[in-house]
Amino acid sequence: MKARVTVTLKTGILDPQGKAIEGALKSLGVAGIASVRQGKVFDIELAGADPAQAEAALKDAADKLLANTVIENYNIEVRS
Amino acid sequence: MKARVTVTLKTGILDPQGKAIEGALKSLGVAGIASVRQGKVFDIELAGADPAQAEAALKDAADKLLANTVIENYNIEVRS
Protein backbone atom coordinates (compact mmCIF):
# COMPACT_ATOMS: atom_id res chain seq x y z
CA MET A 1 0.00 0.00 0.00
CA LYS A 2 1.23 3.51 -0.76
CA ALA A 3 0.77 6.65 1.25
CA ARG A 4 1.89 10.25 1.24
CA VAL A 5 2.55 12.29 4.36
CA THR A 6 2.76 16.05 3.77
CA VAL A 7 4.35 18.18 6.49
CA THR A 8 3.84 21.95 6.39
CA LEU A 9 4.67 24.77 8.78
CA LYS A 10 1.79 26.02 10.91
CA THR A 11 0.30 29.41 10.04
CA GLY A 12 2.21 32.19 11.76
CA ILE A 13 5.49 30.28 11.94
CA LEU A 14 8.22 32.20 10.09
CA ASP A 15 9.59 30.43 7.01
CA PRO A 16 12.97 31.96 6.07
CA GLN A 17 13.55 29.23 3.46
CA GLY A 18 10.28 30.14 1.73
CA LYS A 19 11.20 33.84 1.90
CA ALA A 20 14.57 33.07 0.27
CA ILE A 21 12.86 31.15 -2.55
CA GLU A 22 10.45 34.06 -3.02
CA GLY A 23 13.37 36.46 -3.36
CA ALA A 24 15.22 34.14 -5.73
CA LEU A 25 12.17 33.78 -7.97
CA LYS A 26 11.84 37.55 -8.10
CA SER A 27 15.46 37.99 -9.11
CA LEU A 28 15.07 35.22 -11.72
CA GLY A 29 12.23 37.24 -13.25
CA VAL A 30 9.38 34.83 -12.49
CA ALA A 31 6.35 37.15 -12.28
CA GLY A 32 3.22 36.94 -10.19
CA ILE A 33 4.52 35.04 -7.14
CA ALA A 34 3.15 36.65 -3.95
CA SER A 35 4.49 34.25 -1.31
CA VAL A 36 6.17 30.85 -0.93
CA ARG A 37 6.16 28.45 2.01
CA GLN A 38 8.18 25.25 1.89
CA GLY A 39 7.20 21.90 3.36
CA LYS A 40 8.21 18.26 3.12
CA VAL A 41 6.59 15.28 1.53
CA PHE A 42 7.19 11.61 2.35
CA ASP A 43 6.15 8.90 -0.09
CA ILE A 44 5.86 5.78 2.01
CA GLU A 45 5.29 2.19 1.02
CA LEU A 46 3.63 0.03 3.64
CA ALA A 47 3.90 -3.71 4.08
CA GLY A 48 0.33 -4.52 5.19
CA ALA A 49 -2.96 -4.30 3.28
CA ASP A 50 -5.20 -2.84 5.99
CA PRO A 51 -5.81 0.90 5.46
CA ALA A 52 -6.78 1.54 9.11
CA GLN A 53 -3.61 -0.15 10.38
CA ALA A 54 -1.54 1.74 7.78
CA GLU A 55 -3.01 5.06 8.86
CA ALA A 56 -2.25 4.29 12.52
CA ALA A 57 1.38 3.43 11.66
CA LEU A 58 1.72 6.62 9.63
CA LYS A 59 0.25 8.75 12.41
CA ASP A 60 2.75 7.16 14.77
CA ALA A 61 5.61 7.84 12.32
CA ALA A 62 4.56 11.46 11.79
CA ASP A 63 4.22 12.16 15.52
CA LYS A 64 7.51 10.48 16.42
CA LEU A 65 9.77 11.49 13.56
CA LEU A 66 8.42 13.08 10.39
CA ALA A 67 6.87 16.24 11.84
CA ASN A 68 7.70 18.58 14.70
CA THR A 69 4.15 19.00 15.91
CA VAL A 70 5.03 22.13 17.88
CA ILE A 71 5.53 24.11 14.66
CA GLU A 72 4.31 21.79 11.89
CA ASN A 73 1.05 20.25 10.70
CA TYR A 74 0.89 16.96 8.85
CA ASN A 75 -1.58 15.38 6.51
CA ILE A 76 -1.82 11.65 5.74
CA GLU A 77 -3.21 10.32 2.46
CA VAL A 78 -3.43 6.55 2.07
CA ARG A 79 -3.77 5.30 -1.52
CA SER A 80 -4.84 1.69 -1.90
CA MET B 1 -4.77 32.20 -6.07
CA LYS B 2 -3.08 29.35 -4.26
CA ALA B 3 -1.03 26.55 -5.73
CA ARG B 4 1.07 23.63 -4.55
CA VAL B 5 4.18 22.40 -6.35
CA THR B 6 5.34 18.94 -5.27
CA VAL B 7 8.90 17.91 -6.16
CA THR B 8 9.86 14.23 -5.90
CA LEU B 9 12.93 12.25 -6.90
CA LYS B 10 12.64 10.33 -10.17
CA THR B 11 12.30 6.55 -9.94
CA GLY B 12 15.71 4.90 -9.77
CA ILE B 13 17.46 7.88 -8.18
CA LEU B 14 18.96 6.88 -4.83
CA ASP B 15 17.42 8.61 -1.81
CA PRO B 16 19.80 8.32 1.17
CA GLN B 17 17.63 10.69 3.21
CA GLY B 18 14.60 8.45 2.72
CA LYS B 19 16.71 5.40 3.63
CA ALA B 20 17.82 7.12 6.85
CA ILE B 21 14.21 7.90 7.78
CA GLU B 22 13.28 4.26 7.05
CA GLY B 23 16.02 3.07 9.41
CA ALA B 24 15.05 5.60 12.08
CA LEU B 25 11.39 4.52 11.94
CA LYS B 26 12.46 0.89 12.33
CA SER B 27 14.57 1.68 15.38
CA LEU B 28 11.70 3.75 16.83
CA GLY B 29 9.52 0.65 16.57
CA VAL B 30 7.08 1.93 13.94
CA ALA B 31 5.91 -1.28 12.25
CA GLY B 32 4.87 -1.96 8.66
CA ILE B 33 6.96 0.66 6.83
CA ALA B 34 8.50 -0.89 3.71
CA SER B 35 10.17 2.15 2.14
CA VAL B 36 10.33 5.93 2.40
CA ARG B 37 11.23 8.54 -0.21
CA GLN B 38 11.41 12.20 0.67
CA GLY B 39 10.37 15.11 -1.48
CA LYS B 40 9.62 18.80 -1.17
CA VAL B 41 6.41 20.75 -1.31
CA PHE B 42 5.99 24.46 -2.06
CA ASP B 43 2.79 26.26 -1.13
CA ILE B 44 2.70 29.29 -3.34
CA GLU B 45 0.40 32.27 -3.39
CA LEU B 46 0.00 33.99 -6.73
CA ALA B 47 -0.90 37.59 -7.41
CA GLY B 48 -3.04 37.18 -10.55
CA ALA B 49 -6.43 35.52 -11.00
CA ASP B 50 -5.85 33.71 -14.30
CA PRO B 51 -5.25 29.97 -13.76
CA ALA B 52 -3.48 29.50 -17.11
CA GLN B 53 -1.10 32.38 -16.44
CA ALA B 54 -0.50 31.05 -12.90
CA GLU B 55 0.33 27.60 -14.20
CA ALA B 56 2.78 29.07 -16.71
CA ALA B 57 4.51 31.09 -13.95
CA LEU B 58 4.70 28.00 -11.71
CA LYS B 59 6.12 25.85 -14.51
CA ASP B 60 8.73 28.54 -15.07
CA ALA B 61 9.52 28.65 -11.33
CA ALA B 62 9.78 24.85 -11.07
CA ASP B 63 12.05 24.58 -14.11
CA LYS B 64 14.31 27.45 -13.04
CA LEU B 65 14.55 26.97 -9.29
CA LEU B 66 12.26 24.59 -7.42
CA ALA B 67 13.20 21.31 -9.09
CA ASN B 68 16.38 19.83 -10.51
CA THR B 69 14.76 18.30 -13.57
CA VAL B 70 17.73 15.99 -14.18
CA ILE B 71 16.84 13.94 -11.09
CA GLU B 72 13.46 15.27 -9.97
CA ASN B 73 9.88 15.34 -11.20
CA TYR B 74 7.45 18.06 -10.28
CA ASN B 75 3.71 18.30 -10.14
CA ILE B 76 1.69 21.54 -10.18
CA GLU B 77 -1.76 21.84 -8.60
CA VAL B 78 -3.54 25.18 -8.92
CA ARG B 79 -6.42 25.76 -6.47
CA SER B 80 -8.73 28.61 -7.26
Side-chain angles (χ1 to χ4, degrees):
Chain A
M1 204 182 314
K2 289 188 181 200
R4 171 167 281 186
V5 179
T6 311
V7 177
T8 50
L9 281 173
K10 287 185 179 174
T11 323
I13 305 289
L14 279 181
D15 181 9
Q17 203 173 0
K19 278 274 165 225
I21 294 166
E22 214 179 296
L25 286 173
K26 252 168 222 156
S27 47
L28 282 171
V30 179
I33 308 285
S35 87
V36 180
R37 284 178 81 78
Q38 183 169 6
K40 289 171 282 187
V41 66
F42 302 93
D43 285 319
I44 298 177
E45 238 167 279
L46 293 126
D50 177 7
Q53 207 178 339
E55 192 147 344
L58 291 168
K59 208 179 163 308
D60 197 22
D63 282 325
K64 280 186 181 163
L65 185 72
L66 304 180
N68 175 357
T69 52
V70 177
I71 56 165
E72 291 170 329
N73 290 321
Y74 63 85
N75 177 272
I76 295 170
E77 261 174 273
V78 178
R79 302 147 185 205
S80 57
Chain B
M1 206 181 313
K2 289 188 178 197
R4 171 167 280 185
V5 178
T6 311
V7 177
T8 49
L9 281 172
K10 286 185 180 172
T11 323
I13 304 290
L14 279 181
D15 180 9
Q17 203 174 359
K19 279 273 166 227
I21 294 166
E22 214 178 297
L25 286 173
K26 254 169 219 154
S27 47
L28 283 171
V30 180
I33 307 284
S35 86
V36 180
R37 284 177 82 77
Q38 185 170 4
K40 288 170 284 185
V41 66
F42 302 93
D43 285 318
I44 297 176
E45 238 167 280
L46 293 126
D50 176 8
Q53 206 178 340
E55 192 148 343
L58 291 168
K59 208 179 164 308
D60 197 21
D63 282 326
K64 278 186 180 162
L65 185 73
L66 304 180
N68 175 356
T69 53
V70 177
I71 56 164
E72 291 170 327
N73 290 322
Y74 63 86
N75 177 271
I76 294 169
E77 262 173 272
V78 178
R79 302 146 186 205
S80 56

